[in-house]
Amino acid sequence: MGKTVAQKIFDAHYVDSPCSDIQVISLDAVFCHEITTPIAITDLMARGKDRIFDPSKIKAVIDHVTPAKDSKTALQGKILRDWAIRHKIKDFFDIGRNGVCHAIFPEKGFVRPGFTIIMGDSHTCTHGAFGAFAAGVGTTDLEVGILKGVCAFRYPESIKVEITGKLPKGVYAKDVILSFIATIGVNGATNKVLEFCGEVVDSMTMDQRMTLCNMAVEAGATSGICAPDMVTVEYLWQFIKDEYPSKEAALDSFSKFKADADAAYSDTIKLDVFNLQPLVTLGYKPDQVKPVSEMAGTRIDQVYIGSCTNGRLEDLEIAASILKGKKIADSVRGIVSPATPDIYSKALDKGIIKIFMDSGFCVTNPTCGACLGMSNGVLADGEVCGSTTNRNFNGRMGKGGMVHLMSPATAAASALKGEIANSELYLA
Amino acid sequence: MKNFNGKILFLDRSDINTDEIIPAKYLTESTKIALKPFLLEDIVLERFNPAKDIEGKSVVVARDNFGCGSSREHAPWAFEVNGINMVIASGFARIFRQNMFNCGMMAVSLEKDVIEKLFTKFAGKSTSVETDIDKMLFTFTADGLKEVIPFSISQYDLALVKAGGWVDYADQKY
């Protein structure tokens, strides 16, 4: 019987099988940030095991609260910084060079097809967009990853998600993944890998594929995966051009991680996007979704554009195209956080930042802060936010706040109107 | 090995997420014990008062997809520092479940109808559970009521519980 993408990656990284359905695999990269890593570091030190398996395979960033907002967050940054220096971790991104982990690590070329990656962050599934197996883990798994370069998982079963049709104008990867989560539920893919394929995925850019895979965990999935193709190779070419004689040769090499034609999937789900509308969440679960048209008129206090889901250049470009020459509603606080310094810089060069500022948005540095209610845009009790992030959990962006998840286009249009609204790009 | 016996806290809901178990604003703490007062602070659940209802409880019983959302191991830690080392539910989010066993704690799945029976028979009463980990049996008791229910965890999960977690296990082996 044939193998799925995830199974081929597991087979290439096999270390041990401590019981029938558990497999220990070797890791190609361990990503670290300052919220979940410091406790792993202090625990390793307390155990007399302050070692790392390979400094070239550990990448670290301060991204959740940056600049530090108080003494506690300053200490978390310091523990990570001191550790990176102590262990000669070259790829450590401190303030001025730091960005949202799931945006900056792919941008630096650290994610390759066939890689195995863990991080103490549930949205690590984002990196599956490159045909990698990438999974969020807790601090203990992270600690072992740092120490030994291994992690234990169930041998992966995958759900094939075939996305067909053609996306209508004004409908985006965010709407696709919200639609999928609404279909399968927040628990629909628990312990499974989602293998996204089909003509819609084939035509997506890497930015869009990352948005798609980013929210795999909101359906309970271990990882989202898009098989590598020429789009993947083009994105990575600047990092891999010395390793392969041609792009075709690179693709040929990556193709060993493509699923077999007779691969066994635990389920196959077909999603046709032909009639898909822009979507928005309501309530406190990401599977509670309605068309924007049915939620239109819902008052909002804040619009947040950013995060590992939708803070990349394409996202900012789409939002800016809607905001250009217009002012956001007086009642709305608009906040945009370009996800990395490179995105910020490119947005500056393209005049996108000016458009945001002229429309009344506050432009913050790259950070995760507002998405999880830690800094840079926390809601007050009873406030409502239209947000391009990935979780609408109760209290997520601030105690007593309500979060409506949406695409950057819907967020920009909603900021202009002061209430949830479809963008002019979507012609219903 | 940790203690898996004691009084039960019934949380009658599915999809209880890790933001509800411990909000992100407390993730700036660098000790586990500092999380103690904030367990389940943001949970959406009628007739539940974290300030009163957690004290003295050792085990949580809940519905499906327990611990979904963030990867934060602060969620198991927040239970642990409150003396709760085990969650029994009809299902768990992957990362939360693994985090529990990695800490030498237990996340035990029972069939939906068994969980339903536990809620019907024992919720609202002062219920205790005794866990025989080798025979894999729970004994629930309350007000003269008794129910013995078998459970199953893998030998690997059992090894982690008995070893007290994944770090020492892995460092010796790999």
Side-chain angles (χ1 to χ4, degrees):
Chain A
M1 196 185 301
K3 303 261 183 172
T4 65
V5 177
Q7 288 170 342
K8 289 195 170 184
I9 296 172
F10 265 58
D11 292 349
H13 292 81
Y14 177 87
V15 173
D16 186 22
S17 184
C19 80
S20 61
D21 61 338
I22 300 291
Q23 194 159 312
V24 175
I25 55 170
S26 60
L27 300 170
D28 294 305
V30 177
F31 293 162
C32 301
H33 65 53
E34 90 283 12
I35 298 297
T36 51
T37 316
I39 292 190
I41 295 169
T42 51
D43 190 63
L44 284 171
M45 291 172 77
R47 291 170 186 267
K49 292 176 180 173
D50 182 22
R51 309 188 300 268
I52 63 173
F53 82 110
D54 184 342
S56 72
K57 291 181 177 172
I58 294 181
K59 318 289 179 185
V61 67
I62 295 175
D63 63 354
H64 273 56
V65 185
T66 176
K69 64 175 179 176
D70 56 19
S71 302
K72 287 178 179 175
T73 51
L75 177 62
Q76 289 180 306
K78 181 173 162 49
I79 293 171
L80 191 72
R81 184 181 301 114
D82 290 350
W83 172 76
I85 294 167
R86 186 162 76 241
H87 291 290
K88 301 184 172 55
I89 295 168
K90 183 170 59 70
D91 296 312
F92 167 59
F93 301 93
D94 207 336
I95 196 152
R97 292 169 288 117
N98 60 355
V100 173
C101 51
H102 307 308
I104 199 164
F105 291 144
E107 184 186 283
K108 297 288 178 188
F110 299 155
V111 183
R112 306 286 171 82
F115 264 26
T116 51
I117 300 169
I118 62 164
M119 180 172 198
D121 191 289
S122 58
H123 293 108
T124 306
C125 52
T126 310
H127 308 291
F130 291 82
F133 174 83
V137 297
T139 290
T140 302
D141 272 335
L142 178 72
E143 190 171 330
V144 170
I146 287 168
L147 185 66
K148 307 300 286 188
V150 298
C151 195
F153 289 98
R154 283 188 195 194
Y155 191 68
E157 280 179 50
S158 298
I159 299 173
K160 185 176 183 177
V161 185
E162 202 175 339
I163 308 175
T164 57
K166 188 173 180 296
L167 277 177
K169 199 166 174 288
V171 182
Y172 300 95
K174 181 62 158 284
D175 303 302
V176 174
I177 192 63
L178 286 175
S179 162
F180 175 74
I181 296 164
T183 305
I184 194 171
V186 291
N187 194 17
T190 300
N191 289 319
K192 304 281 166 60
V193 171
L194 295 174
E195 197 175 302
F196 296 108
C197 62
E199 56 194 327
V200 175
V201 180
D202 293 344
S203 66
M204 280 183 175
T205 63
M206 289 314 298
D207 278 11
Q208 293 160 5
R209 291 179 192 181
M210 283 190 264
T211 299
L212 192 68
C213 290
N214 174 268
M215 291 188 70
V217 69
E218 308 312 332
T222 305
S223 190
I225 287 188
C226 302
D229 61 6
M230 200 39 103
V231 177
T232 324
V233 173
E234 292 283 357
Y235 183 102
L236 289 172
W237 187 243
Q238 60 171 312
F239 307 106
I240 61 173
K241 61 181 187 304
D242 296 334
E243 297 169 31
Y244 301 96
S246 67
K247 290 175 183 172
E248 289 69 26
L251 182 59
D252 189 48
S253 168
F254 296 153
S255 294
K256 63 176 172 281
F257 297 111
K258 282 199 165 182
D260 292 324
D262 61 341
Y265 293 92
S266 65
D267 200 0
T268 297
I269 295 172
K270 288 187 199 274
L271 191 68
D272 191 285
V273 299
F274 185 72
N275 286 317
L276 188 63
Q277 297 185 44
L279 299 174
V280 58
T281 61
L282 63 158
Y284 298 125
K285 294 200 298 172
D287 62 359
Q288 294 172 286
V289 169
K290 273 192 177 180
V292 171
S293 55
E294 288 180 29
M295 292 288 287
T298 306
R299 180 192 60 81
I300 48 174
D301 302 294
Q302 177 171 299
V303 165
Y304 181 72
I305 298 176
S307 86
C308 56
T309 318
N310 280 125
R312 297 186 183 83
L313 190 61
E314 276 185 44
D315 301 316
L316 305 192
E317 275 176 328
I318 291 162
S321 75
I322 291 160
L323 296 170
K324 191 170 185 179
K326 297 180 180 149
K327 297 276 182 203
I328 63 173
D330 289 340
S331 57
V332 168
R333 309 186 298 271
I335 301 170
V336 57
S337 174
T340 70
D342 188 61
I343 293 165
Y344 199 149
S345 180
K346 285 185 173 134
L348 268 174
D349 292 346
K350 289 178 165 237
I352 290 169
I353 297 298
K354 179 88 167 87
I355 292 171
F356 271 108
M357 293 187 75
D358 287 348
S359 75
F361 263 78
C362 161
V363 185
T364 82
N365 62 301
T367 175
C368 312
C371 170
L372 69 170
M374 291 194 89
S375 62
N376 286 35
V378 180
L379 300 177
D381 191 10
E383 287 190 328
V384 180
C385 185
S387 181
T388 69
T389 54
N390 43 43
R391 287 201 173 121
N392 54 342
F393 295 164
N394 182 44
R396 174 76 177 179
M397 293 183 77
K399 197 177 180 70
M402 169 57 76
V403 181
H404 295 289
L405 305 176
M406 54 183 67
S407 75
T410 306
S414 303
L416 294 175
K417 205 146 186 212
E419 53 192 45
I420 292 175
N422 259 319
S423 80
E424 63 198 13
L425 298 176
Y426 175 71
L427 305 168
Chain B
M1 202 171 67
K2 294 186 188 305
N3 170 48
F4 302 108
N5 305 316
K7 287 227 172 343
I8 293 178
L9 172 63
F10 285 93
L11 299 174
D12 192 2
R13 230 196 72 199
S14 289
D15 306 317
I16 292 173
N17 66 63
T18 52
D19 275 77
E20 294 177 289
I21 296 168
I22 185 79
K25 63 185 169 192
Y26 303 120
L27 305 188
T28 61
E29 299 295 346
S30 34
T31 63
K32 295 178 186 179
I33 194 70
L35 305 172
K36 190 167 190 265
F38 312 120
L39 177 65
L40 294 167
E41 184 181 272
D42 275 352
I43 192 169
V44 183
L45 187 62
E46 277 178 37
R47 297 187 301 278
F48 171 70
N49 179 356
K52 274 171 45 194
D53 299 341
I54 294 170
E55 181 76 37
K57 305 295 196 306
S58 305
V59 173
V60 165
V61 173
R63 302 279 182 175
D64 206 5
N65 197 30
F66 191 90
C68 60
S70 154
S71 65
R72 63 191 66 163
E73 204 160 303
H74 304 69
W77 297 336
F79 282 119
E80 185 184 13
V81 295
N82 278 282
I84 296 170
N85 291 322
M86 179 162 71
V87 180
I88 301 169
S90 53
F92 293 90
R94 177 190 63 89
I95 305 175
F96 178 85
R97 184 189 173 285
Q98 193 61 51
N99 286 346
M100 289 287 282
F101 284 103
N102 282 349
C103 292
M105 300 163 75
M106 291 221 286
V108 181
S109 300
L110 296 178
E111 291 296 326
K112 275 195 171 70
D113 58 336
V114 178
I115 292 289
E116 179 59 39
K117 183 161 77 178
L118 289 178
F119 272 99
T120 309
K121 195 164 175 182
F122 293 106
K125 301 185 174 72
S126 177
T127 307
S128 295
V129 63
E130 269 192 51
T131 304
D132 185 328
I133 195 161
D134 294 311
K135 291 185 182 152
M136 294 201 192
L137 284 178
F138 291 134
T139 305
F140 296 91
T141 51
D143 304 342
L145 298 170
K146 185 174 167 183
E147 189 81 48
V148 178
I149 292 174
F151 66 93
S152 167
I153 58 172
S154 73
Q155 288 304 310
Y156 173 66
D157 290 335
L158 186 63
L160 290 178
V161 171
K162 291 196 167 174
W166 167 231
V167 179
D168 286 332
Y169 181 99
D171 195 30
Q172 284 159 25
K173 218 166 154 157
Y174 304 114

